[in-house]
Structures are given as C-alpha cells and as structure tokens.
Amino acid sequence: MEAQGGRFTENKLDTKKTILLSFGFFASMILWSVYNAYVPVILSDNFAASGFFIGLIMSIDNFFGVVFQPLFGRMSDRTRTRFGRRMPFLFVGIPLCVVLFTIIPHMNTLPSMMAVVIGFTFVMGVWRTPAVSLMPDLIPGPFRSQANGIVNLMGGVGAVLAFAGGGLLFELGGFPMPFLVSGLLALAALGVLAVFIREPAYPPVLSKEESKKTEVKLEPQEKKSFILILSAVFFWFMGYNAVETFFSLYAISTLGITPGQASILLAVIGLGVVLFAIPAGFVGARVGRRKTILAGLVGMIALFLSMLFVTNLWAIRAVLFFAGVCWACININSLPMIARISGQAKIGLFIGYYYLFSFSSQLITTPLYGFIYDVVGDYRSLWIYAAITFTLAFVCLLFVRHGEEEPAGL
C-alpha cells in the first residue's frame, strides 16, 4: 500500500477496511428503514392523516437533503481536524439523531411529532454525505464498485435488521421498541467507526487563489454524462422511495396483514440486496457499471408490473427478493460512477449533488403518489407508478458515456 497526496492507493481491495468504514452507512440505513416503515403508519393510526399529508411529512427529509447535502458535502471536503474531515460530522450527528429518533413514537400531538421529525431529518442531513464519502476517500477508483458492494451489504444488513427485527419488536412492544433498539444499534456502529477508522492526513486548506487552480472542470461530454446520471438517479429514486414509503399501507390494505407483518415482508428486498451486494459490485467492475445498472432497471420494471397480478404471499416474497437483487445492481454501481467523474478533490461535493437529485425526487414522489392514491383509492397503482419512473431512468442512462474505471485487481 502506498500513500499519494494523503490518500491510500492499493493494488487490491482492502476488504477489512471497507467493512469497517461501512458501519456509517449501516447506521444510516437502520435508522431510515425503521423511519420509513413505521412513521407513515403512526401518522395514519394516531393522527388520521390522509395519503397526501403522509407523503408531505415523509418528504421533509428530502427537502433538507436538497438544501443541505451539497453544502455539508462541500463543508466536509474543506474540514481539517485531527479526527479527519468526515468523522467529526458523524461524532456529532449520530448521537443527536438517535435521541430524536427514539422519541418519535412517544409524540402525542401532531405539532410535537412534526418538531421531532424536522429535527431528526435535519441532523441526518448533516452527517449522511460525509459518511458516504468515506468510501471513495479511502478506496482507490478501480475498486469502488466492489467496495460499494460491501458498503451496501452492510446497509442491507441494517435494512433487514430494521424490517425483520423491527417487525418482531413491534409485535412484542408496539411502535417504541423498533425505534429504541435501532437507535442503540446506530450508536454501536458509531463506536466501531470511532475505534477502527482513521482518516489519512490531508494538506492544509488552500487559499481561494490556490483553490481555483484545483477546480474540477468537466469536459462537455463528461458534463452531459454527469447530468444524465443524475437524472437517472432522480427517476429511479422516485419509484423506489414511493414503494418503500407506501408499501406498508399497500400490504395492510391489499393483503390484509398487520404493520409488523408488512415490515417483515418488506425486509425481503433488503435480503436480496444483502445477498447480491458484493456480486453486483464485481459484475459492475467486470462488465461495466452502466450495463449492470441498465440490466437492473429492466428487472425492476418487470418485477413491479408483476405485482399487479401477484397476491400469494410466497410469490410476493420471491418478487421482492429479486427486486432487491436488481436494486443492488443499480444502487451499488451508480455512486462510483459519480465519484469517478468528480475526481478526488471534490468527492464530497459531487456525492452531495448525487443526494441533491435523489432527495429532490423523493421530495416530489411521496406527496405526488399520495395524491395519486387519494384520487384512485387503490394502492396497487403504486406498482404502475414505480414502473414508469424506472423506465424514465432507463432512457436517461442509455445515453451516458462516462463513469467507468479501467479494470484492476480482478
């Protein structure tokens, strides 16, 4: 292993280091999964909220993502402390998030619920981009698809624990139990990062004049590809976030199951991501990130449309599992394409742009689909909506020509 400009370069993937830095994403996923699974049900059961209002509330985190993700990503690029440039955001953000997160189910009035949700979603926006930026910071470009597979494996484990374990905990103790246990697991993940992750030393912050000389300038074709990738991200997160947010209500109303059972059913997607996370990264490195993502998009479209006709729970589990496999192909290979175009100096900023587009889509999609449901009155329309958004993402990605790496270490 050699150090160049404060960054480690390797001739093979450091699996141990990748697993350890993945605990930041693990913490994020376990909190968001419980939040998305149970907050819509709490709003519906405790406050008799309409579909549109639920979608509006669930889009608050996306509003903060649109406003603050590039800001905090860029801020972390420029941060210099003895703990590194990303870790200080996690040290402050995760404990604050856990405190707010665990009191969500104890709010008895809508104003108090809104206040806690706003606080939680804002603080999550402070540390999410710095946490995700750890991987491209510490892992060389040719290995980022494989490394992102490991990162998403850990995130998938967090999602499975949140959905399956959260469903069991809900059956035992109602809404508070999944929130409490997930918060404790997020704190444990922060402990792992604090003990084992050491960010490399970085040079002093450059002056404005020096900084201008190192600005990343994209060639016209690179800029076109960058915009198209971000557009594809926008559309596929429209579909995926709508499914994740409204699946529990779909399952309760259409399949006649309990909120806990719906959460356990949704965990099957996370299981597919977990089992295919690492293979998806290696497939992306071998055959190309773009081709792998396109294949995943085709699979998601077919699987979502099949949900219009599937009612057997075992068949639904199979569909959701393969949806998780396809989502792994998409999600694991997209962020490394963004990091490849950004260059090392502005990883945090460009990942902030990635979240700007993904959160913009989610800001729109939850109230939009909530309104659609209020009009049609049938949650099966969720699958048509998601299939359309993934089709639009497929069209955007067809014209992307940048974001690949030269094969290395395969």
Side-chain angles (χ1 to χ4, degrees):
M1 181 184 299
E2 300 176 352
Q4 295 181 356
R7 182 172 67 96
F8 290 108
T9 59
E10 305 161 349
N11 56 14
K12 66 178 182 178
L13 177 64
D14 188 334
T15 303
K16 179 181 177 181
K17 180 171 68 178
T18 306
I19 292 172
L20 292 172
L21 65 84
S22 299
F23 275 89
F25 191 58
F26 171 88
S28 175
M29 282 298 296
I30 200 166
L31 295 178
W32 278 127
S33 297
V34 169
Y35 180 87
N36 287 328
Y38 291 105
V39 170
V41 183
I42 292 173
L43 290 170
S44 179
D45 288 358
N46 295 358
F47 304 106
S50 67
F52 174 76
F53 187 75
I54 292 171
L56 195 63
I57 298 301
M58 295 304 291
S59 69
I60 291 174
D61 64 305
N62 305 310
F63 171 76
F64 285 136
V66 168
V67 175
F68 294 114
Q69 292 290 358
L71 172 64
F72 286 112
R74 185 56 170 159
M75 189 182 298
S76 69
D77 283 339
R78 295 174 172 175
T79 296
R80 300 295 186 274
T81 75
R82 65 189 182 91
F83 300 106
R85 57 178 182 172
R86 315 294 184 188
M87 291 299 296
F89 292 85
L90 280 67
F91 289 150
V92 174
I94 293 178
L96 285 176
C97 274
V98 169
V99 171
L100 293 165
F101 180 76
T102 53
I103 65 175
I104 286 175
H106 298 284
M107 297 299 100
N108 296 320
T109 66
L110 190 56
S112 64
M113 179 74 168
M114 290 288 296
V116 173
V117 164
I118 289 171
F120 168 73
T121 53
F122 170 74
V123 180
M124 283 292 291
V126 170
W127 65 272
R128 181 179 351 215
T129 297
V132 173
S133 298
L134 279 172
M135 187 278 287
D137 265 356
L138 302 178
I139 303 298
F143 305 104
R144 287 175 184 159
S145 282
Q146 301 97 309
N148 208 36
I150 295 174
V151 171
N152 277 267
L153 169 64
M154 293 296 293
V157 170
V160 169
L161 287 175
F163 291 134
L168 294 173
L169 289 168
F170 174 84
E171 298 295 333
L172 293 173
F175 288 117
M177 286 296 289
F179 285 84
L180 174 62
V181 174
S182 297
L184 294 175
L185 287 173
L187 289 177
L190 177 61
V192 171
L193 291 169
V195 172
F196 294 106
I197 293 300
R198 294 291 182 270
E199 292 188 64
Y202 288 92
V205 178
L206 300 177
S207 67
K208 290 184 178 180
E209 293 74 19
E210 292 172 319
S211 180
K212 288 179 181 179
K213 295 178 182 178
T214 62
E215 290 287 319
V216 176
K217 301 294 183 180
L218 298 182
E219 297 295 329
Q221 290 303 311
E222 284 183 313
K223 187 174 182 180
K224 178 182 176 182
S225 288
F226 182 58
I227 292 172
L228 286 169
I229 293 171
L230 292 178
S231 298
V233 167
F234 178 89
F235 287 121
W236 70 54
F237 271 106
M238 281 191 73
Y240 190 81
N241 190 254
V243 169
E244 189 176 48
T245 300
F246 287 96
F247 180 84
S248 294
L249 294 173
Y250 156 81
I252 293 166
S253 66
T254 305
L255 304 178
I257 61 179
T258 68
Q261 291 170 330
S263 177
I264 294 171
L265 188 59
L266 190 59
V268 177
I269 292 182
L271 180 62
V273 172
V274 166
L275 295 181
F276 207 71
I278 294 176
F282 278 90
V283 169
R286 174 71 67 177
V287 306
R289 293 165 179 164
R290 176 176 166 274
K291 290 180 181 178
T292 305
I293 295 172
L294 288 172
L297 290 170
V298 171
M300 290 294 267
I301 294 164
L303 291 165
F304 284 156
L305 290 176
S306 74
M307 286 293 289
L308 293 169
F309 311 101
V310 177
T311 56
N312 178 272
L313 284 179
W314 282 107
I316 290 174
R317 291 185 182 100
V319 170
L320 294 177
F321 173 81
F322 286 108
V325 170
C326 293
W327 183 243
C329 292
I330 297 165
N331 207 34
I332 285 165
N333 289 289
S334 57
L335 190 141
M337 293 184 77
I338 298 293
R340 174 67 178 87
I341 295 174
S342 74
Q344 195 66 26
K346 293 195 173 179
I347 284 176
L349 177 63
F350 275 55
I351 290 178
Y353 288 146
Y354 172 89
Y355 280 118
L356 170 65
F357 275 72
S358 66
F359 278 56
S360 295
S361 74
Q362 295 169 49
L363 182 63
I364 294 169
T365 197
T366 45
L368 175 60
Y369 179 72
F371 174 76
I372 291 172
Y373 168 74
D374 287 341
V375 172
V376 302
D378 188 343
Y379 276 115
R380 287 177 296 181
S381 60
L382 176 64
W383 307 111
I384 298 174
Y385 176 85
I388 291 171
T389 62
F390 273 79
T391 300
L392 293 171
F394 179 88
V395 173
C396 290
L397 203 69
L398 278 177
F399 300 99
V400 170
R401 296 294 181 266
H402 297 83
E404 303 286 357
E405 301 277 357
E406 291 295 325
L410 297 177

